[in-house]
Structure formats: C-alpha cells, structure tokens
C-alpha cells in the first residue's frame, strides 16, 4: 500500500488538503499527516553567546504546540475507510521537513492560499519549494478544492518532462475510471525560407490535433479509449490558456519543466504560474 504525505500547519487550507488527499487515497493508499516545526534560535547579545541573550522557547512547548495543531486539524476531517497516521517532525524549514517526510512516498500534498498577490507569494513559498524539491509527485491544493471527480487534465508540450506527466495522469485516470483531458499548447511556425508543404484542405488546428492524438496514443495506449483532446493555440499568457482548458477538471497534471526551461531550473515558469493561480489542485511531476 502506498502513502500520501500531507503537510499540516493548522490552517483551513491544510485541512482542505488533508480532506482532498484522503478522498483521493481511498482504500488504496494510506495518508500520513505531518506537521513540521522549527526550533528558534535564541536572540540578543550580538552574534555570539553572552550577556543579555534572551532564552529560547522551551523545546517541549514548541513540540506540544505542533502536536496540538496536528491533532486539531486531523479531528476536522472524516477520512472514511482511508488509513490515517500523523506525526510531528522538527526541521530547519517547513518545506525541508515535508520534502524529507515525502522520501519514499507516492505523493506529497500541500494546501495553498490565494487571497491576494502578496498572500500568494508569501504563503505559497512552502508549496513552491516543495514543487521544486519533492522526491515524488507533488500536488498543491487550493482552498475549497473540487473532488478529483471524473476528469483529469494533463498539459503536454513536447518537453522532456511531458511524457512522465502524461503517464502519471493516465494512470490516475485509469485508477479512478475518469476521462483524461490532454491539453497541448502549440505555436504556429513562421517559415522564413524554403517551401511550406501543407494539406490545403486541413487547418492548422486540425493538423495539431492529429499530431497530438498520434503522440499521446503511442505514449499511453492503455488510456486511448478515455482521452479527450484540447489543443490550444497560444503565443503568450500560456498558463491562462492551460487553466481555461482545464476548467471543470478535478486535477491538472503538469511536468516540472517546459520547453523553455533552463538547465538546472527545477520548476518551469508556466508550471509555477499555473500552480499559483489554479482554482483546482495541480500536480507537478518530475521527469
């Protein structure tokens, strides 16, 4: 039986994430709720130890507070038949602790807030760091998320991480008897030299759909009977087009890097924008 790790910080959003993960796990996966706490360094007295240094908060008090936060959050969620365990973990940072806890897990799940631009950037930092460094697939769950439901969307762009995202999304669709909506954002090519050979009876959109269907069905033939295709022509604001195409789905799956990603950049800009702005859960799959 696999494991879903869920980050709990006591917020309503983390409770929503736990509720979503428990429903998604069903009886096939166990859920492990984790609250990460940090031990603050005593302050005062300059850079070194010395007179006037303020005492640190007792270790036991911080740990007890974390345990109370975790217990209260878990008590708000009816997990049904899903096996649920919980634990607190001390780490240098919340994101670092969650990445550590997710080692060997099947999924890391974190709740996110999006009340304002400032709130999104500040509170979303844990989610962004987890998306960058999680050792397993990662899901960012917005406030009051829809259930996974009967449609899973996946964005593909021909990058190295697209096949992994497509295979993971197809496996989820098969496991949940859901439709798989494949979103492909493409650009029209302007030819500066040489002839352009095209079928005059077919539009660019039709040719894009043919190419998309062929490549997807070769990659995930087991899901061919449940796939819906959504090729989107976009040369700017790509993340907005992807989110529009994913409307009505219960989950959007994306690769960690797109075609424009730089070597060493762990999370592509389009994936990050979708993660920050989406009203449905977004899964980031590393290649």
């Amino acid at each position: 039986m696999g494991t879903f790790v869920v980050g709990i910080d006591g917020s309503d959003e983390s409770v929503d994430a736990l509720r979503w993960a428990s429903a998604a796990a069903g009886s096939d996966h166990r859920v492990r709720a984790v609250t990460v706490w940090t031990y603050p360094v005593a302050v005062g007295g300059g850079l070194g130890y010395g007179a006037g240094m303020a005492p640190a908060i007792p270790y036991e008090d911080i740990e007890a507070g974390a345990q109370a936060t975790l217990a209260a959050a878990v008590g708000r969620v009816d997990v049904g038949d899903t096996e649920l365990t919980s634990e607190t973990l001390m780490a240098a940072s919340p994101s670092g602790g969650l990445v550590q806890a997710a080692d060997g897990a099947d999924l890391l799940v974190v709740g996110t807030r999006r009340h304002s631009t400032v709130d999104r950037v500040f509170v979303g930092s844990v989610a962004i760091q987890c998306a960058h460094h999680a050792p397993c697939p990662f899901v960012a769950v917005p406030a009051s998320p829809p259930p996974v439901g009967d449609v899973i969307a996946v964005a593909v762009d021909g990058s190295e991480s697209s096949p992994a995202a497509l295979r993971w999304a197809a496996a989820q669709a098969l496991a949940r008897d859901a439709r798989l909506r494949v979103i492909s954002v493409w650009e029209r090519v302007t030819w500066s030299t040489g002839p352009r050979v095209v079928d005059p009876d077919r539009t660019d959109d039709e040719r894009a759909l043919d190419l998309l269907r062929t490549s997807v069905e070769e990659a995930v033939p087991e899901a061919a009977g449940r796939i819906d295709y959504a090729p989107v022509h976009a040369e700017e604001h790509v993340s907005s087009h992807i989110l529009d195409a994913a409307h009505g789905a219960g989950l959007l799956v994306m690769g960690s890097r797109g075609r424009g990603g730089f070597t060493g950049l762990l999370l592509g800009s389009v994936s990050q924008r979708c993660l920050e702005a989406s009203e449905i859960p977004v899964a980031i799959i590393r290649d």
Side-chain angles (χ1 to χ4, degrees):
M1 178 180 289
T3 301
F4 291 177
V5 172
V6 185
I8 301 294
D9 64 3
S11 66
D12 290 342
E13 290 77 14
S14 69
V15 173
D16 282 341
L18 179 58
R19 189 174 290 116
W20 182 91
S22 299
S27 59
D28 296 326
H29 296 80
R30 65 176 65 88
V31 172
R32 181 155 59 104
V34 177
T35 294
V36 178
W37 58 280
T38 60
Y39 189 61
V41 177
V43 296
L47 296 176
Y49 294 95
M53 175 171 278
I57 301 172
Y59 177 103
E60 295 80 4
D61 289 354
I62 303 175
E63 184 176 24
Q67 291 170 345
T69 294
L70 179 58
V74 168
R76 294 172 59 186
V77 178
D78 180 5
V79 300
D81 296 329
T82 302
E83 179 183 339
L84 174 65
T85 62
S86 60
E87 66 179 277
T88 60
L89 176 67
M90 185 179 75
S93 69
S95 58
L98 291 175
V99 168
Q100 176 185 337
D103 186 31
D106 295 290
L107 196 67
L108 173 59
V109 182
V110 172
T112 59
R113 300 188 184 102
R114 293 175 181 83
H115 300 309
S116 69
T117 301
V118 173
D119 208 20
R120 183 192 71 190
V121 173
F122 179 73
V123 179
S125 61
V126 172
I128 296 300
Q129 289 300 313
C130 288
H132 273 272
H133 301 294
C136 62
F138 167 76
V139 175
V141 178
S144 303
V148 174
D150 56 3
V151 178
I152 293 175
V154 57
V156 299
D157 64 357
S159 64
E160 292 182 359
S161 61
S162 281
L166 179 59
R167 288 191 296 269
W168 192 86
Q172 299 304 306
L174 288 167
R176 305 174 195 287
D177 194 25
R179 300 293 299 177
L180 180 63
R181 184 184 303 167
V182 179
I183 303 166
S184 177
V185 179
W186 61 280
E187 300 174 354
R188 290 188 174 91
V189 177
T190 300
W191 295 79
S192 57
T193 60
R196 184 182 181 190
V197 180
V198 299
D199 181 351
D201 296 325
R202 297 179 64 76
T203 66
D204 286 345
D205 287 342
E206 289 172 334
R207 286 189 291 274
L209 178 58
D210 287 345
L211 290 172
L212 176 61
R213 182 182 289 112
T214 298
S215 61
V216 167
E217 293 183 1
E218 287 178 353
V220 287
E222 67 278 10
R226 63 179 66 244
I227 298 175
D228 300 312
Y229 295 95
V232 176
H233 170 234
E235 297 181 0
E236 57 183 12
H237 307 301
V238 174
S239 59
S240 296
H241 287 281
I242 291 174
L243 294 177
D244 287 344
H247 180 73
L251 178 66
L252 171 61
V253 182
M254 305 187 71
S256 58
R257 286 194 299 269
R259 287 177 299 176
F262 295 98
T263 300
L265 184 63
L266 300 181
L267 187 66
S269 59
V270 172
S271 295
Q272 180 164 328
R273 291 191 191 104
C274 288
L275 187 152
E276 292 173 341
S278 178
E279 296 182 355
I280 65 174
V282 176
I284 302 296
I285 312 300
R286 300 280 293 276
D287 54 330

